[in-house]
Structure formats: structure tokens, C-alpha cells
Amino acid sequence: MNSGTPFLSAHASAADWQIAAKEIVQQLDGVAAAHRLGFLYVTDHFSVYLDEISIFLRQTLGVPHWVGTVGFGVCATAQEYFDAPAIVVMVAPIPEESFRIFKDVSDDIKCITETHKEWLSSPIPPLTVVHGDPRNPRVGDLISEISDATEGFLVGGLTAAEENFVQIADNVTDGGLSGVLFSLDKVPVQTGLTQGCSPIGETHQVTAADENMLIELDGRPALDVFKEDIGDVLAHDLQRVGGYIFAGLPVTGTDTGDYLVRNLVGIDPESGVVAIGEYVSAGDRVMFCRRDHDSAVTDMRRMLVDIKKRSGNSPVRGGLYFSCCARGSNQFGDDSEELKMIAEELGEFPLVGFFANGEISNNRLYGHTGVLTVFL
């Protein structure tokens, strides 16, 4: 990484993409030859124009390589854009030998393992920034396969759009995974994951299940255990649990207490079955979680303090933030509070990202989380 050249970021909102893109260019004063890679995220309003926007920025700024996608909202330094046509951009002074662009990873990962085989021979595993198409049923498996094959860490998110699930990886693409691999011996980073929920009750063992239906937990009817965990008030009015109570599946092999959050999709009072948004089997572990503002803020601050500690005295030069589209203004308030917390704890630095349809951290696809990566 060119330590003498800064990361630069810009953000703009306008009814026409041309106006917003020109404002972006005006803000990015100081783009240099060392800026070889750009990150580009747009809200769904501009999804149909993502290719045109990337071509305009490439030609106007002279930055040759671009990656990015579409979100229901986009992130900038201490700023969020929801329900507005917006563009956010960051250009990075990373030499071309230190990164590789990939795309069209839809059925297998040969586009990574074979195309970049020699580059991946480094003894230091890469960091992979991934943008994925939520319509591809193999996305979760492909994420795991990339992690295994590269022995590296993944961060990213799934495109969030109404119709145009497009990504940029030098050119427009869709249908699978795309993004960029970084050589960590030249590009130092720190990453963190924050959950949007907090566990309630104990972790239970699934003793009977059928696909996504919890039949028994700890040898008892699943609904009985569920009611005990959520408390008498909610147990007497199960209509109130939607969007507030979730299922949490603990991640095995982690020492940080990570868990995958899945929606409750149905409750049958007669049979005592609780259905969740994930297939489960006897022997799996499950807990129930509460999603609220205070628990999300507490865990967000925990993540930021941890990243600050691990970064030591190294200043943060740039950052990427991938958050769930159910977070942002839906959980933290309308005044960009989620992004402002990052700036409050780590200082203001160039940062971009988007509100996704699923978030990627390490080797898994999460939900209701925030994934922060900082370049040092």
C-alpha cells in the first residue's frame, strides 16, 4: 500500500445519477496515480445505472479498477442514505500487485482458485471482500468454499435491491459472487462483527426437528421452552414476538460467542412446534434472541472498542462497513446513528459500504449484523 497517498471518499444524493456522480468527482480532489482501486455503492434508485456510473468514474477519475454493488441504503463517513438516490465512493492507494478482482462465481470457485492460482500461492492468506447475489441458492456454500480454498478471511454483503441485483467487478455482473482479494502482507487490516440482537435464556439442544421446525428442545416441546425464555408477557401474546424475538444458532469453533440470527417463521400452539428460517437437526444447538435498540448499541460499541484496541497506535486510513438493511434507521434512529458511532469511537476517516440482504464475515453468511473492516 502506498503509505504516502491517502484513501479518499465522497458521497452525494441527487435525483439524476449524472448530477450525483459529478458531485462525487468534485469532492474527490487529489486522486493520484497511486489510486488503483475504487469501491462504489449505490442505492436501489440508481441500480439500473450502476454500469454507467462506474464507467463515468473510471474515465473521469482515472482509477482503473472498481468493485461494488447495490443496497437498500448506503454508508459514508458518519452518514447513511436510505430511501434516497445516492452514490458513495472510496478510492484506495493499493498497488495492483496487491489485489485481484474476481467475478462470476456462481456454481464453483474456479474463477478464484484457477484464475488467481499463482497469486494465491503466498503463505499469507488474503482478505476477500465479497458482494453476492441473494438469488443464488449456493451463495452460502460458495462463501465457505472460498474461505477453505484461500484459508483467508471474508467480509462483505449480499446485494439488496427490488429488481436489479447487479454488482461491479471491473464490469457489471450478477448471479453469483464478485469482489476483490487483498494481499495482507501489503494491506494491513482489522475486522469486526457486531450482532443486532442479544441472547435471552439458555442455549438449548435440539432433540427433535423436521427441516426448519423445532419440535423438541432439551426433550420438551419446543414452544414450552420458547415461552419460558421470552417471559410471561410475550408468552401470553405471541403476536408480539414477530420482528422482536429471533432464533440464534451458535457458531461452532468460535471463541467470541458468535451466532447466526434467523427469523421466526411460524408457531403452532396446538403441536408445540416453532418454525425458524433455517434447517435444523437433532443435536444442533439453538437459543432465542431479542432484537432492540439498546442491545444493538451496546454490541456495536463493544466491536468498535475491540477494533481500536487491536489496531494499536496505527491510524485508520479507510474503511468498509456492511450492515443489515434491518439495522440503520430501522434500529438506531433516523440521524445516521449507526455510522456516527463508528466516527465517535475510531475518528472520522474515509469509509463506504451498504445496507445488505445478508452480511459476510469470515466463512459464513449472517443476518442482522454489521461487519466493519478498517485499513491501517
Side-chain angles (χ1 to χ4, degrees), residues 243-272:
Y244 179 58
I245 303 297
F246 296 80
L249 306 175
V251 174
T252 57
T254 177
D255 58 0
T256 55
D258 291 344
Y259 52 93
L260 305 177
V261 178
R262 295 296 183 258
N263 292 328
L264 298 179
V265 296
I267 295 173
D268 186 349
E270 292 188 8
S271 65

Side-chain angles (χ1 to χ4, degrees), residues 66 89 173 216 235 245 286 321 370:
W66 290 85
V89 166
T173 182
E216 287 185 0
I245 303 297
V286 67
Y321 189 55

Side-chain angles (χ1 to χ4, degrees), residues 9 14 22 52 69 74 188 253 284 322 351 367 374:
S9 66
K22 288 177 181 178
E52 294 174 74
T69 191
V74 291
D284 288 346
F322 307 111
L351 178 144
V374 295

Side-chain angles (χ1 to χ4, degrees), residues 102 105 108-110 112-113 120 126-131 139-154 177-178 181 360 362-363:
F102 66 91
V105 178
D108 56 53
I109 63 170
K110 293 179 181 177
I112 293 177
T113 55
L120 286 167
L127 172 80
T128 306
V129 177
V130 182
H131 307 125
V139 158
D141 293 334
L142 292 169
I143 290 167
S144 179
E145 290 171 20
I146 293 172
S147 176
D148 290 343
T150 64
E151 299 182 347
F153 202 96
L154 279 63
L177 303 180
S178 68
L181 301 117
I360 299 162
N362 194 10
N363 60 353

